[in-house]
Amino acid sequence: MKIDGKSWRAIWPIGTEAAEVIDQRLLPHEFKTMRLTELNDACIAIRDMVVRGAPLIGSTAAYGLCLAANCDSSHASLKVAGEKLCATRPTAINLRWAVERMLAHLQDVLIAEIPAEAWRHAEKICEEDVKINHSIGTHGLKLIREIEQRKQGAPVNILTHCNAGWLACVDWGTATSAIYQAFDAGINIHVWVDETRPRNQGAFLTAWELGKHTVPHTVIADNAGGHLMQHGQVDMCIVGTDRTTASGDVCNKIGTYLKALAAFDNGVPFYVALPSPTIDVSVDDGLAEIPIEERSGEEVAKISGADSQGVIRSVNLLPATSATANPAFDVTPARLVTGLITERGIVKPERDALLKVFPELFAKS
């Protein structure tokens, strides 16, 4: 995608010595990149949300193993490095998927050849992510075109939650891929952007990248979405996911479930855009089986922003004596999901439908 006319990806290699990422903690107020030169850098980038979004976390983990291999390419050492990466954030399945794929691919490679092969395979994972997400967008575009035809030129209003944009992937995004393709095709489109407390990924990241691509959008408080749906101002919802179960339950950023409930009550189609590596066929009941990351209460108690001088500052929001809770994700039951937008088409959120479209995933379980 483009930033001020220049093409960027969210992660890229620097030869076979380092990987570079956009430091998303500083957006939208400051644009900087961070160079990852060792395994611990990759772990910190994932844990501290320098990078975030399930596909990008997976790609960062793949490069993290490359950095580990540069220091010690023994299989035992790489396995330890993989577990260290997987421990950084437990909910997004792409993280473990990428680590396990890298380790499996390197299992039969000669020790001396592992570092170079690791870099080649990590790049392959990233290129596949770009291709998959573009394909997700082409299928989502068909849904947007159907609404455009019904509305006869009036704006197609799409509500998003959190950031499922190109900043959450290597490029294109999942939920935003269809949005970008629709906008580029000349469709009159407008995006309602949930702020997504407590880390404000919608307000900070989705709004920033949509603005850089000049897509019309409006940032709203998280609690405004239901009101907009009640008044016919939302034509469809498209969100991403960090893990989707074999039965179609969707785990995504906290607050997604409430949007799905509002959409269901108001007859608004609720779609989830996901690449196949985000499908976890080992899990059937999302509510019971998916571990929900509990993040620091500091994220709830404080908020950061730029002051009048452009300096990024953090301020306290709560009484000093108040306790905080900060579950980072929630699970939306499959019954509330209209469809899953995948690289192979629109799929019903049901086991049989997923099995038919992605039989190879179930064959491995």
Side-chain angles (χ1 to χ4, degrees):
M1 303 304 292
K2 287 184 167 55
I3 302 173
D4 298 329
K6 180 182 177 181
S7 294
W8 287 84
R9 286 187 172 182
I11 189 169
W12 60 97
I14 307 296
T16 58
E17 300 299 323
E20 193 132 357
V21 298
I22 297 170
D23 189 343
Q24 299 184 27
R25 298 171 302 179
L26 304 177
L27 294 175
H29 310 295
E30 189 175 353
F31 181 83
K32 282 187 177 181
T33 62
M34 175 182 289
R35 187 160 294 191
L36 314 178
T37 60
E38 60 182 21
L39 171 65
N40 196 49
D41 293 340
C43 291
I44 291 171
I46 295 170
R47 185 188 65 236
D48 293 354
M49 297 182 78
V50 174
V51 298
R52 27 81 47 225
L56 181 57
I57 288 172
S59 296
T60 304
Y63 279 122
L65 283 176
C66 295
L67 297 171
N70 282 354
C71 297
D72 184 346
S73 58
S74 69
H75 294 298
S77 177
L78 290 178
K79 184 177 179 180
V80 171
E83 288 306 314
K84 185 175 181 180
L85 285 160
C86 287
T88 56
R89 298 198 70 191
T91 301
I93 193 60
N94 297 61
L95 173 54
R96 183 165 291 277
W97 168 84
V99 167
E100 291 180 350
R101 174 171 164 174
M102 287 285 291
L103 293 177
H105 179 76
L106 298 172
Q107 184 62 43
D108 297 324
V109 177
L110 295 174
I111 298 297
E113 298 174 3
I114 282 179
E117 184 58 29
W119 285 95
R120 282 193 291 269
H121 200 62
E123 184 174 359
K124 182 179 180 180
I125 287 174
C126 289
E127 292 303 322
E128 287 177 3
D129 180 72
V130 176
K131 183 178 180 180
I132 285 172
N133 291 329
H134 182 268
S135 183
I136 288 171
T138 62
H139 294 296
L141 175 60
K142 296 174 186 176
L143 298 172
I144 296 174
R145 286 195 184 281
E146 291 173 1
I147 296 173
E148 177 199 29
Q149 292 170 2
R150 291 201 303 269
K151 298 194 72 175
Q152 299 181 330
V156 177
N157 291 299
I158 300 174
L159 186 140
T160 67
H161 187 69
C162 196
N163 177 257
W166 69 266
L167 287 169
C169 305
V170 179
D171 207 344
W172 282 106
T174 54
T176 60
S177 183
I179 290 170
Y180 288 126
Q181 292 187 43
F183 177 77
D184 291 345
I187 294 175
N188 186 3
I189 197 167
H190 169 262
V191 183
W192 295 110
V193 180
D194 274 356
E195 60 181 345
T196 324
R197 283 278 293 150
R199 290 194 64 95
N200 297 293
Q201 294 101 321
F204 289 178
L205 303 179
T206 303
W208 181 80
E209 63 170 81
L210 289 174
K212 291 297 181 182
H213 205 82
T214 69
V215 177
H217 64 281
T218 304
V219 179
I220 58 171
D222 287 339
N223 291 331
H227 167 80
L228 293 173
M229 293 183 208
Q230 285 180 322
H231 291 270
Q233 294 178 270
V234 179
D235 297 304
M236 67 186 302
C237 302
I238 310 180
V239 302
T241 174
D242 289 82
R243 187 185 306 205
T244 293
T245 71
S247 59
D249 293 341
V250 173
C251 182
N252 193 46
K253 184 57 58 181
I254 194 75
T256 303
Y257 172 54
L258 293 178
K259 295 300 180 301
L261 283 173
F264 186 82
D265 190 52
N266 289 280
V268 175
F270 187 90
Y271 288 97
V272 178
L274 74 157
S276 54
T278 310
I279 302 170
D280 185 358
V281 298
S282 71
V283 172
D284 189 69
D285 186 338
L287 282 172
E289 299 178 70
I290 296 178
I292 299 299
E293 178 184 4
E294 180 76 25
R295 293 186 61 82
S296 169
E298 289 285 297
E299 294 179 350
V300 176
K302 296 183 178 182
I303 194 168
S304 65
D307 64 17
S308 59
Q309 306 302 314
V311 178
I312 299 176
R313 300 185 185 278
S314 179
V315 297
N316 294 317
L317 295 174
L318 308 182
T321 56
S322 293
T324 59
N326 189 16
F329 302 91
D330 59 26
V331 175
T332 298
R335 63 182 175 81
L336 299 177
V337 178
T338 305
L340 305 172
I341 310 174
T342 76
E343 69 265 30
R344 296 182 186 174
I346 312 299
V347 182
K348 289 184 178 181
E350 302 170 355
R351 173 180 284 271
D352 289 346
L354 284 166
L355 174 60
K356 182 178 180 180
V357 177
F358 296 103
E360 73 280 8
L361 297 181
F362 289 83
K364 295 177 183 178
S365 63

